[in-house]
Amino acid sequence: MSGRAFLQIPGPTNIPDRVLRAMDRPVVDHRGPEFAAVTERVRAGLKQVFGTRDGVPMLYPGSGTGAIEAALVNVLSPGERVLVYNYGVFSGGLAAISRRFKLDVDEVVLGYGKTIPTDDLERRLRADSSTNPYRAVLVVHNETSTGVTVDVAAVRRAMDAAQHDALFVVDTVSSLASIEFCMDDWRVDVAICGSQKGLMLPPGLGILCASQRAVAINQQGGGSPRFFWDWAPIMRENRIGLFPYTPATLMLFGLREALQMLVDEEGLPSVFARHAYLAEGVRAAVTAWGLPIVCEDPPCYSNTITAVRVPAGFDSNELTRHARERYSLSLGGGIGELSGVAFRIGHLGALNELEVLATIGGTELAFADLGLDVEPGSGLLACQHMFLAEEAGKKLVQAVAVA
Ligand code: PLP
């Protein structure tokens, strides 16, 4: 099909040309000075993205799942108790992965579309066993299957209110570099990510950041058996710009470029504001369509992903298939319990208004082709009005500031 394809799944996201060009180069000696400088720059930039001064970023050839495994095996030992709320595929996944490592998992099943009830969390932590307390609370910041963003600061407040010193492990795979994340302020012990979403890179890196408390557990011999994921050799080698095994060299050149764009040029506050603004446009369209958003609590609406329910009797998998085949528009399918009953619009990473409008317009065409009773153009109009209103609001604020 002529023209470009639209990749509006909730990751992997579109890669800016600059980032592609930064990776389009001969492979360098990963033990030479040029690469050591890239490693240093990338680690410094990642600290800014994670919102930490003392945290230690680590990079693996891998993906988000690898980073989850790395987080668990470096700080948790078989038999230790962990608390996990299940509100979708990935939060449920944290519980499942933890069980594989023989952790003693308390999984609280909330249902798709829900967020963590912090009063319940506080109550559970207050009532925790004094002889064998939870060793960690595991949370997904942005549940990619439902488009629910958990208030991580509120989770931390609940842990503090209960005076519980469990480790705080947070999956930021679909939020980092798109939705504000403050590792130090929220005293997160391990934050987990991958390269292919907010960081605007291809899939291929598992990334995490460990607090000094988490690092100390690793250094004192805590955790589970590990080799590839072990932090100790990574930290030792990273100090001199090296890795204990072959790093994904070209990906790091891409990451350096992406961090330059996100941190140094656009600036993280603007990146977060852009995501919020584009997400408002998407939600305005979905509301105009008259279709329910899966997230049940508007303050938790995700600024990176909107999961949309389709009417009973309509197959959302048919919609995503048709949009992809007819319009080269890839939308996210419903996953887990939402397969067939919802679809997901990814609105994260390198993205602007016109790309959002194309996505909304393409989705409307696919609705119409499949006979879904949604007025073509209704979402587009609502989305445009939202963008125009936001723009007018910005101009007003500027005028007041000048006056
Ligand atoms: N956690 C969340 C919140 C995710 O969205 C994903 C993937 O989309 C993962 C974990 C797994 O990451 P990966 O597919 O990079 O292994």
Side-chain angles (χ1 to χ4, degrees), residues 10-11 62-66 68 90 140 142-145 171-174 194 196-197 205:
S63 76
T65 309
I68 293 172
F90 297 101
V140 172
N142 187 74
E143 175 50 77
T144 317
S145 61
D171 169 335
T172 69
V173 172
S174 61
Q196 73 275 21
K197 300 194 197 251
L205 293 177

Side-chain angles (χ1 to χ4, degrees), residues 264-281:
D264 302 331
E265 295 175 16
E266 187 172 0
L268 289 171
S270 304
V271 172
F272 303 145
R274 173 170 54 82
H275 279 82
Y277 161 69
L278 297 174
E280 287 286 352

Side-chain angles (χ1 to χ4, degrees), residues 136-366:
V137 175
L138 314 181
V139 168
V140 172
H141 185 196
N142 187 74
E143 175 50 77
T144 317
S145 61
T146 59
V148 168
T149 304
V150 169
D151 183 346
V152 176
V155 173
R156 166 44 78 192
R157 282 195 298 276
M159 293 172 70
D160 288 349
Q163 297 186 320
H164 202 293
D165 80 340
L167 292 162
F168 193 15
V169 177
V170 183
D171 169 335
T172 69
V173 172
S174 61
S175 58
L176 196 78
S178 309
I179 299 171
E180 186 175 41
F181 186 76
C182 308
M183 177 159 178
D184 283 0
D185 292 352
W186 301 339
R187 301 202 326 282
V188 171
D189 290 294
V190 192
I192 296 156
C193 198
S195 50
Q196 73 275 21
K197 300 194 197 251
L199 290 171
M200 311 186 300
L201 288 167
L205 293 177
I207 301 171
L208 62 73
C209 196
S211 70
Q212 288 299 326
R213 182 182 177 209
V215 166
I217 294 171
N218 165 287
Q219 289 177 339
Q220 288 154 13
S224 302
R226 55 187 181 257
F227 179 82
F228 181 75
W229 304 117
D230 192 4
W231 293 344
I234 299 175
M235 288 189 295
R236 190 183 60 234
E237 299 289 308
N238 274 183
R239 259 178 232 125
I240 48 171
L242 301 179
F243 285 83
Y245 35 74
T246 315
T249 26
L250 297 184
M251 295 276 300
L252 264 66
F253 281 92
L255 181 53
R256 180 175 66 174
E257 191 70 17
L259 289 168
Q260 162 91 20
M261 292 171 74
L262 293 165
V263 178
D264 302 331
E265 295 175 16
E266 187 172 0
L268 289 171
S270 304
V271 172
F272 303 145
R274 173 170 54 82
H275 279 82
Y277 161 69
L278 297 174
E280 287 286 352
V282 171
R283 291 192 287 266
V286 175
T287 306
W289 291 337
L291 299 178
I293 291 176
V294 171
C295 174
E296 292 174 11
D297 190 13
C300 297
Y301 282 159
S302 165
N303 286 338
T304 58
I305 291 129
T306 302
V308 183
R309 288 186 191 274
V310 295
F314 187 85
D315 181 1
S316 66
N317 292 329
E318 182 61 16
L319 173 77
T320 51
R321 187 195 57 74
H322 181 75
R324 188 175 54 244
E325 288 178 5
R326 173 65 183 86
Y327 298 108
S328 296
L329 168 62
S330 288
L331 298 165
I335 53 174
E337 289 173 16
L338 296 176
S339 177
V341 298
F343 68 99
R344 295 171 302 150
I345 303 173
H347 35 89
L348 72 164
L351 193 68
N352 62 28
E353 289 101 332
L354 298 195
E355 290 164 318
V356 168
L357 289 170
T359 304
I360 299 299
T363 307
E364 291 184 347
L365 288 173

Side-chain angles (χ1 to χ4, degrees), residues 106-124:
D106 259 1
E107 181 178 1
V108 184
V109 179
L110 300 173
Y112 284 47
K114 307 271 190 225
T115 187
I116 296 178
T118 47
D119 48 349
D120 179 80
L121 171 69
E122 184 182 329
R123 196 179 46 70
R124 283 174 194 272

